[in-house]
Amino acid sequence: MPLKLSEWDNDLPIEQDEEYQAFLRTLRFTEGFALLFVRCSPASGEQLISKVKEDISDKSIEILKLNKNVTNLYIEVDQLPNKNYINILFITGLESALYKYEEAKTLAGWSSRKTHHYSWEGVPPILININQQRERFRDQFKICFVFLLPQFAIKYFIHRAPDFFDWRSGLFNFPLDSTTLEQESNRIIQEGSYEKYVNLTPEETNQKILEIIEIIEHDEIDNEQKAKLFFELGYLQNIKQDYQAAISSFDKALEFKPDDHEAWNNRGNSLDNLGRYEEAIASYDKALEFKPDKHNAWNNRGISLHNLGSYEEAIASYDKALEFKPDDQYAWNNRGISLDNLGRYEEAIASYDKALEFKPDKHNAWNNRGISLDNLGRYEEAIASYDKAL
């Protein structure tokens, strides 16, 4: 349940109340140009601004909300009609201009050796501009600038606008309270689905990745929640085709929950996409150790075996998938491909027919069926099959 502004002080933990009092003192005694950075969520940032306005009544306080298209912060401030009378300017939303640049592999501070090559490629224009114009900010604006940012954006300032960041008068930390943290964690886990993730834009995917990392960084999250959040993170990275990062996330999930068959299965998918087929098979085997009837792990295992040229073993794996899910169109189609590679064309056609029985519009099964018919010299039938695919 969101905090009520009237109860803000009472709801704050002691250490956060001390942080707020220190922040308040800094704002009260700062005159003219200054830079303050505050780590907080957008929701807690709104509460913070409201509380400061209540507690500091003798200064002019304004808010500048930025969007993802902002590239020149100086111009945004210079265009404010009352810029000469502002004492404190809260700046929110700057992180939205960073999402499309954010790879997010190492921003969570993981120690795993597999995730530690961050190149900081692609400097956002807004940070280039801030670095280049820091003297103009100081000379033209007698304002205390307060940047409200999530952790990743503060790290971006440290690495990509260090000259500007080094002028800071203070860095304050207001992490999510435990109740909000649990609510946000549960929301991410409940909302996560392949159908939703696969339809996100690259920018939205990065935003979701960073949202998860921001929550994972809090010590209050228990291991069960961390396992689920790292799984969601890996799922997103896999869809984004950042397979090495996905493997690292699934590894973290499995540190907290070693029997998570979904994490083992998805870890195998990422390994397969990297061409590391034997490791992928070992990962699928672990998934099947914890859930022997997991039909999609049997199917995925068959794909990796096929990619290794082990067609007989692949067929045996597809057969296991079909034992647990007889209408698995993917397993029937993949089984047909392996049979075709063994020259067992009639059996392959029968397998494709089963796939088409369960999904008549499966165009790749019609195409594969045509290939097997062509291999048998049944060209008219092959053309008819290709026509169905088309």
Side-chain angles (χ1 to χ4, degrees), residues 23 26-27 30 32-38 62 64 73-74 76-78 80 83 86-92 130 133-134 136-148 164 167-170 172:
F23 177 59
T26 302
L27 291 176
T30 296
F33 174 79
L35 298 176
L36 300 180
F37 289 85
V38 177
E62 297 291 340
L64 176 59
L73 180 60
Y74 182 89
E76 296 293 322
V77 177
D78 196 45
L80 293 174
K83 62 186 177 186
I86 298 173
N87 301 122
I88 299 169
L89 181 63
F90 285 98
I91 298 177
T92 66
I130 283 173
Q133 303 202 62
R134 66 171 187 160
R136 291 185 71 193
F137 275 92
R138 178 196 61 196
D139 297 339
Q140 297 299 319
F141 305 126
K142 306 306 179 185
I143 296 172
C144 176
F145 293 92
V146 184
F147 292 88
L148 304 183
F164 189 82
W167 278 11
R168 68 191 182 281
S169 303
F172 300 90

Side-chain angles (χ1 to χ4, degrees), residues 5 56 123 129 147 186 208 210 223 225 247 260 315 375:
L5 295 180
I56 300 179
V123 183
N129 168 264
F147 292 88
N186 289 333
K208 180 63 70 174
L210 289 161
N223 288 349
Q225 290 288 83
I247 292 166
D260 187 344
I315 292 166
N375 288 330

Side-chain angles (χ1 to χ4, degrees), residues 1-5 7 11 43 47 177-184:
M1 188 174 188
L3 302 179
K4 296 179 181 178
L5 295 180
E7 300 171 357
D11 288 324
Q47 294 176 348
D177 64 275
S178 58
T179 302
T180 306
L181 197 60
E182 185 177 356
Q183 290 173 343
E184 286 298 289

Side-chain angles (χ1 to χ4, degrees), residues 92-245:
T92 66
L94 186 144
E95 68 274 12
S96 63
L98 308 179
Y99 286 132
K100 64 182 177 180
Y101 296 90
E102 190 51 66
E103 293 303 325
K105 287 182 186 176
T106 61
L107 290 184
W110 304 340
S111 59
S112 170
R113 59 185 175 81
K114 298 178 181 177
T115 55
H116 313 31
H117 302 289
Y118 194 78
S119 61
W120 293 97
E121 294 175 358
V123 183
I126 191 167
L127 295 188
I128 295 174
N129 168 264
I130 283 173
N131 249 359
Q132 291 174 342
Q133 303 202 62
R134 66 171 187 160
E135 285 82 8
R136 291 185 71 193
F137 275 92
R138 178 196 61 196
D139 297 339
Q140 297 299 319
F141 305 126
K142 306 306 179 185
I143 296 172
C144 176
F145 293 92
V146 184
F147 292 88
L148 304 183
L149 299 164
Q151 179 71 1
F152 93 90
I154 290 177
K155 290 182 180 180
Y156 237 106
F157 266 91
I158 293 169
H159 289 272
R160 277 297 178 245
D163 293 340
F164 189 82
F165 185 77
D166 284 348
W167 278 11
R168 68 191 182 281
S169 303
L171 176 61
F172 300 90
N173 186 29
F174 295 98
L176 292 171
D177 64 275
S178 58
T179 302
T180 306
L181 197 60
E182 185 177 356
Q183 290 173 343
E184 286 298 289
S185 177
N186 289 333
R187 177 186 61 79
I188 289 169
I189 292 164
Q190 290 166 7
E191 289 181 356
S193 70
Y194 177 82
E195 291 75 16
K196 182 172 182 177
Y197 289 160
V198 78
N199 290 315
L200 296 176
T201 66
E203 183 177 304
E204 289 170 337
T205 301
N206 283 334
Q207 182 175 351
K208 180 63 70 174
I209 286 172
L210 289 161
E211 184 181 349
I212 294 172
I213 288 176
E214 187 79 9
I215 292 176
I216 288 173
E217 286 186 323
H218 287 75
D219 293 334
E220 294 87 348
I221 293 290
D222 62 38
N223 288 349
E224 183 178 353
Q225 290 288 83
K226 281 187 177 180
K228 293 176 180 178
L229 289 168
F230 272 114
F231 176 83
E232 295 298 322
L233 185 58
Y235 210 27
L236 282 160
Q237 290 162 331
N238 198 21
I239 290 172
K240 190 183 172 183
Q241 299 183 5
D242 193 353
Y243 302 124
Q244 187 57 61

Side-chain angles (χ1 to χ4, degrees), residues 361-377:
D361 64 346
K362 191 171 180 64
H363 62 88
N364 53 349
W366 282 111
N367 180 67
N368 294 336
R369 185 176 182 274
I371 293 170
S372 291
L373 286 163
D374 186 273
N375 288 330
L376 286 169

